[in-house]
Amino acid sequence: MFSRNLEFLNNLALKSRLERITLEESSKNMSYCMTPSNDYLLMKDDVPFDDINNPREAIKETLRATIKNPMGNNDIIITFGIGLCYMLDEVYNTYPSKIIVYEPDINVLHFVLNNVDISEHLASGRVFITDNLDELMKKLSEIYITKDKVEVVYLKNYAIVKSPELMALTQKVYETCRSKIVDVNTITKYSKKWLLNTLRNINLINNNSSVFKLSDLKNKFSGQTALIIAAGPSLNENLEKIKANRDKFVIFAVNKVLRVLSANGIVPDFTVCLDASSINSTLTGLEEFCAKTNCIMDIKSDSVLFSKNFKRMFMSFSKNDMVVKKLADYNKLECYESGGTATALALVAAVKLGFSKIIFTGLDMAFQNEVIYSTGEVMNKVSDTQMIVGKTQKKIVKVKSVTGDLVYTREDYAAFIQHFETLIKDLECKEIYNTTSFGAAIEGMKNVSFDELPLFFSSTGTPFILGEAKTFKLEIEEWAKEELMLINNVISVLSKGVFSPALVSTIVKSPLMYQYMQADILKVLQSNFESGYADEFIEKAKAAIKVIVENLQKNRLI
């Protein structure tokens, strides 16, 4: 039975962990009892996992009380605790939704899979099982689309025994869904701009003599200390201390803070830029200052950066962008995580460049007396729970502060905090310090005051001379041929005039089309291919082809 269950288990990491456990190990302290309803009940250390009278009926009542709205194929039900799979079986047969089973005790999981046949459930492709919370969140992030419903259900007795694990699960589910909503909002706002920037920047790279690959600096700063300067209000507390210790570290500064640094005579080694637009207003008048520093930019960043007179441009290629990944394949480029913000890109760069210690200043991710940035900009608050950013209304929420209290921040900042925490884990960062005096607590960062840092300032590595880096050009001929072929495939399907999953699938296979139409594709998936959106989607696809081809020609890529 165990081998049959494992055969259909679609979690290879869990499968590997389970195979290292013996039945003798997992059976320890496990037992059964029979209930008045003639159902078996699983127990560990003589503690029952669920209702001792009628577990199946208790589960039905739990589901009726918890899931009050109809659940669709794209919705997600997370079951906490596996028991003897009564909960899984009831959810599987009652709802058409995707199911994630979270059993935090791997020995329980091993024991149950040896005694209960759920191979049919696993073979359906609807069920994902794990004992690892990070693994669960990664899976949830992959399958969750904004507007999908997510429900967490649990075995009542087990929830009491494992209450800390259940609380952690519900909190992480909320944070992950919130983060995905922020991601989708960002995609909706910027996907077209990112693509047009990328096409323009390919042309600018190939016609510029001072552009380098960020990956060429990999591990060149081994043993040294990096200071990453973000734009939060706490930066102002440390400006004089940074000046006094300028020779102790290599400085990465986000573009938002360059004007503050210029006014205080602090020249960063690298200015990090990820914004898709509006960089011109941020850097206007700073061209002379920019000439003293180097720029690290993502290839989809605002192309105006090329006109800002930076000493050198170091190009980063994002691994979560289909267009860039395809271009990277043809050019054998190393791709990195972008992290979604300039500050996160600075962290990725510092880790990849080999810095042994990384210090943040101005990384608050929160408000200080309604001040948002080190520039003194104050939040445009319209109520206790809402603020205006540009022309967009944002929610105001509370997050845990480094002081242990709660601090106000924007909802999207709360999502960025989670991004940071995931990034730190993925990068396996060992020594990261944050000097914020009031800001958000970020897991994986040690909070210290700037005055506590002297021991971390000394550089043990040999300074790398940036002039040793070599410029590069992108080979685009074969890449462009493949992209045009994929666009022609879309044109062929469009010529039939039929709105169908086949059309969307063909568009998704074209990186250029997919990047430009991400928001529209998400809308189609959320509506389950509702026919009322057919004509609009077809017209948008035709318009996308026109814009993409025009920009390929304009930037001399075809």
Side-chain angles (χ1 to χ4, degrees), residues 470-518:
K470 296 180 180 179
T471 59
F472 76 106
K473 306 293 180 188
L474 290 167
E475 296 294 333
I476 60 171
E477 185 176 349
E478 294 303 316
W479 167 79
K481 281 182 182 177
E482 181 180 351
E483 292 292 352
L484 284 176
M485 179 195 72
L486 293 169
I487 289 173
N488 282 328
N489 290 344
V490 176
I491 292 171
S492 177
V493 177
L494 275 172
S495 67
K496 299 173 184 177
V498 178
F499 175 64
S500 66
L503 172 59
V504 176
S505 176
T506 307
I507 290 172
V508 169
K509 289 175 183 175
S510 164
L512 291 174
M513 288 291 293
Y514 174 71
Q515 178 72 19
Y516 194 84
M517 294 191 68
Q518 277 190 78

Side-chain angles (χ1 to χ4, degrees), residues 361-375:
T361 185
L363 183 61
D364 301 319
M365 293 288 188
F367 309 139
Q368 187 177 44
N369 299 323
E370 300 193 0
V371 175
I372 307 175
Y373 298 119
S374 54
T375 53

Side-chain angles (χ1 to χ4, degrees), residues 97-148:
S97 310
K98 300 166 188 171
I99 303 167
I100 300 177
V101 178
Y102 177 45
E103 173 49 70
D105 188 332
I106 193 168
N107 285 318
V108 169
L109 201 50
H110 184 274
F111 180 82
V112 172
L113 292 178
N114 270 280
N115 289 278
V116 183
D117 185 359
I118 56 169
S119 56
E120 178 187 339
H121 304 71
L122 296 172
S124 70
R126 287 172 53 202
V127 180
F128 179 84
I129 298 180
T130 183
D131 67 312
N132 183 281
L133 189 55
D134 289 337
E135 208 168 71
L136 188 156
M137 292 309 128
K138 183 178 180 182
K139 182 65 177 179
L140 178 61
S141 184
E142 288 172 0
I143 64 176
Y144 175 77
I145 300 175
T146 180
K147 295 186 180 178
D148 288 347

Side-chain angles (χ1 to χ4, degrees), residues 15 37 125 163 202 242 268 273 283 300 306 369 388 444-445 451-452:
K15 183 177 180 180
S37 60
S163 60
I202 292 171
I242 294 171
C273 307
L283 299 182
K300 61 178 180 281
F306 281 87
N369 299 323
I388 301 294
M445 291 188 182
D451 293 330
E452 295 177 89

